[in-house]
């Protein structure tokens, strides 16, 4: 019962705030209905989209062990909204790419990215996705995932601790909400 | 009757890695399984020819990223055999303790991942991961790193055990014994588990020797071979080690061998803590090494949690001329075609789960 | 470590006679590139008495082929495929396909000494 009460209070606060911006100086209200609903719903849409980003299960190599730790019970991913790791790209928002990319795997990554529905975001997790990692002289490695898909947040480390993945996803939430420029 | 070909693509919801299977079906029974591998191949054997001896362990550890200490120790033992160095007795006891702790952590992750394949969607996975976190905290206390502990040096370890390490370790071991008994009792009582594991995926004794598999897959088919007993290294003789052999060769035997190995490892660690002498266990630091190999061609095999790890080294002055690796998951996956023929299609993933694969091991 | 160096024409007879004596477990098939010749090693193990033996064959750079031993050991399948794609050694007696670099149809053989690092 507690959750129900606080969500309703938040909804009331949002309605009041959005109505305040459109108060004219004359004590008579002349607005279009579409502008009122747009003001209410755009804030609602951004708030709900920000707090429920569902990741795609894309752990390729050793950084996948830290992704499993990120979803397990000590460092909980559920408390901030990353509820389920979906297996199909049509139902997910964020692609967390963990592991190195070889030449055989590159067309599959591109195909998976194009199957995700908009708005979609990409997080590059670990040194091998950022810049190729320790395999820089190898004949079968692509250096960094940003040669194939556009990336929003980079996390460096080998492997980075799961707490730093949490920090990166909080920054992604700010970017979705519109506070950080670009 | 017409046959149907199905593609199970490289990205699929089980935690083994990138593996593509082309399955030929006749109704509901499997006729042929063909694995296509190579999605994680980066050429470790070629990269090792351009690096010096102690720059290579990070490459070797990323091969089997679940049991990292076992691969690291096998490589450092190869270089020690080439240079003619032997660790002293306290260093041998400490290495055995760290190796057996790593074996417990690897088998706990296997248990969660295999029950995930059977259909318990992430519930037993959460419990075994919480237990595995306690063992990883012990290893972090001993080595200072959470995941890639490059801890072995020539002649010993990088640093000694801290002061209270023994008390913390014995606390965790008593907790783990109770939990393993709980897991055994409730997993084996469920009738769904019995239907999908008894007499499913049978590998006979002659086939197992002819195909060249190793590790728990070989010992579950009735062959009494374990590298820790037949070619003993370090102090396993003093600790009275006995291998675990079962005789049926189906999924259930492969599961039971690993559960009994966890209990055997707990007993070995307790004995090692009682018998350990005093002394200094740190090895040579990296910069002071003068590489002058005494034996030019060396071959060393060790027992990892998945099977037998073998390194073959042709040594030059500063860097290896040729480093060849035999990883256990490579040849365990090649035996999948022989095991899975004649079974139902829904039983394919429990069979893969009981072989315990890590895909970066297969594509070196 | 005991090592035998034999000719290529005696290979199948030697391996099958060792298998009858009890060396029934194949550990690995290796290849090493010394610059004048390429040598191929077969490592066998006896499970009852724990002995191991290495059988070595030298090949010139002009004719690189080895007969297949898949009728003796079923586990030699993937080792021979890896030998073909890394060194360029042909296997006579069966059709071999590449294992790890399946999608590349050019003739690059990575583990030879003539393949320099840094080529992509």
């Amino acid at each position: 019962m507690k959750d129900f009460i606080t969500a309703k209070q938040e909804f009331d606060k949002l309605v009041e705030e959005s109505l305040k911006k459109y108060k004219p100086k004359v004590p008579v209200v002349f607005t279009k209905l579409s502008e009122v609903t747009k003001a209410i719903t755009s804030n609602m849409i951004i708030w709900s989209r920000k707090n429920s980003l569902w990741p795609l299960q894309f752990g390729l190599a050793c950084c996948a062990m830290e992704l499993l730790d990120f979803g397990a019970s000590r460092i909980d991913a559920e408390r901030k909204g990353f509820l389920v790791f979906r297996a199909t790209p049509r139902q997910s928002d964020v692609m967390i790419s963990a592991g190195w990319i070889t030449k055989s795997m590159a067309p599959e990554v591109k195909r998976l990215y194009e199957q995700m529905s908009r708005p979609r975001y990409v997080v590059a997790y670990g040194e091998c996705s950022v810049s190729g990692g320790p395999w820089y002289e190898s004949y079968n490695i692509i250096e960094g995932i940003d040669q194939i898909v556009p990336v929003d947040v980079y996390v460096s480390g080998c492997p980075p601790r799961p707490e730093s993945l949490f920090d990166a996803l909080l920054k992604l939430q700010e970017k979705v909400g519109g506070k950080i420029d670009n | 009757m017409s046959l149907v070909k199905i593609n199970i693509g490289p990205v699929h919801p089980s935690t083994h890695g990138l593996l593509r299977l082309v399955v030929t079906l006749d109704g509901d029974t499997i006729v042929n399984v063909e694995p296509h591998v190579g999605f994680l191949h980066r050429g470790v054997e070629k990269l090792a020819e351009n690096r010096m001896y102690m720059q290579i362990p990070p490459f070797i550890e990323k091969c089997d990223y679940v049991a990292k200490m076992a691969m690291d120790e096998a490589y450092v033992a190869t270089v020690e055999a080439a240079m003619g160095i032997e660790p002293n007795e306290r260093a041998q006891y400490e290495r055995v303790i760290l190796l057996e702790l790593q074996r417990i952590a690897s088998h706990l992750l296997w248990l969660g991942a295999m029950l995930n394949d059977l259909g318990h969607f992430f519930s037993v996975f959460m419990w075994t991961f919480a237990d595995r976190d306690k063992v990883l905290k012990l290893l972090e206390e001993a080595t200072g790193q959470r995941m890639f502990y490059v801890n072995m040096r020539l002649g010993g370890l990088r640093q000694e055990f801290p002061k209270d390490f023994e008390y913390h370790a014995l606390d965790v071991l008593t907790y783990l014994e109770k939990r393993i008994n709980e897991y055994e009792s409730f997993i084996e009582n469920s009738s769904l588990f019995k239907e999908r594991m008894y007499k499913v995926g049978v590998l006979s004794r002659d086939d197992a020797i002819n195909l060249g598999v190793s590790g728990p897959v070989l010992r579950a088919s009735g062959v009494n071979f374990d590298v820790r007993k037949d070619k003993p290294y370090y102090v396993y003789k003093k600790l009275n080690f006995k291998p675990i052999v079962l005789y049926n060769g189906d999924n259930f035997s492969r599961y039971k061998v690993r559960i009994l190995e966890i209990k055997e490892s707990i007993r070995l660690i307790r004995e090692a803590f009682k018998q350990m002498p005093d002394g200094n266990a740190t090895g040579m630091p990296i910069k002071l090494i003068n590489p002058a190999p005494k034996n030019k061609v060396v071959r060393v095999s060790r027992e990892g949690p998945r099977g037998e790890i073998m390194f073959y080294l042709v040594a030059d002055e500063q860097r290896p001329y040729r480093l060849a690796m035999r990883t256990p998951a490579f040849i365990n996956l090649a035996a999948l075609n022989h095991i899975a023929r004649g079974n139902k299609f829904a039983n394919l993933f429990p069979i893969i789960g009981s072989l315990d694969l890590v895909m970066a091991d297969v594509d070196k | 470590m005991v090592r035998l160096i034999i000719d290529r024409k005696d290979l199948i007879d030697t391996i099958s006679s060792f298998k009858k004596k009890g060396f029934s477990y194949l550990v690995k098939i290796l290849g090493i590139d010394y610059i004048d010749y390429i040598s191929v090693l077969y490592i066998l193990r006896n499970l009852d008495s724990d002995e191991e033996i290495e059988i070595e064959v030298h090949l010139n750079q002009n004719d690189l082929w080895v007969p297949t031993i898949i009728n003796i050991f079923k586990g030699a399948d993937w080792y021979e495929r890896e030998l073909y794609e890394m060194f360029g050694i042909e296997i006579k007696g069966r059709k071999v396909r590449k294992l790890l670099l399946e999608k590349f149809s050019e003739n690059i053989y990575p583990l030879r000494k003539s393949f320099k690092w840094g080529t992509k």
Side-chain angles (χ1 to χ4, degrees), chain B residues 161-230:
Chain B
F161 282 167
K163 275 188 208 162
D164 292 334
F165 186 69
E166 186 173 339
Y167 301 116
H168 295 169
L170 293 175
D171 279 342
V172 171
L173 290 179
T174 44
Y175 168 78
L176 272 180
E177 265 180 343
K178 278 187 287 177
R179 291 289 279 192
I180 294 290
N181 289 335
E182 275 184 33
Y183 289 147
E184 260 195 284
S185 66
F186 78 75
I187 286 177
E188 294 177 18
N189 270 337
S190 103
S191 60
L192 265 179
F193 188 80
K194 285 182 203 165
E195 274 232 16
R196 293 182 86 178
M197 299 287 265
Y198 271 119
K199 312 247 191 257
V200 169
V202 178
L203 181 67
S204 65
R205 186 178 193 265
D206 293 330
D207 267 345
I209 299 179
N210 210 357
L211 284 168
V213 294
S214 63
V217 182
L218 183 66
R219 271 173 264 143
S221 295
V223 183
N224 189 358
F225 181 74
D226 191 329
V227 184
R228 293 175 277 177
K229 170 177 155 296
D230 292 314

Side-chain angles (χ1 to χ4, degrees), chain B residues 212-258:
Chain B
V213 294
S214 63
V217 182
L218 183 66
R219 271 173 264 143
S221 295
V223 183
N224 189 358
F225 181 74
D226 191 329
V227 184
R228 293 175 277 177
K229 170 177 155 296
D230 292 314
K231 302 164 147 287
Y233 54 96
Y234 299 158
V235 287
Y236 279 107
K237 261 190 183 165
K238 293 186 193 171
L239 295 173
N240 282 336
F241 168 71
K242 290 195 175 54
I244 296 164
V245 181
L246 295 177
Y247 291 95
N248 264 341
D250 53 359
N251 269 352
F252 187 77
S253 310
R254 293 190 275 262
Y255 151 85
K256 194 74 179 173
V257 163
R258 291 188 182 109

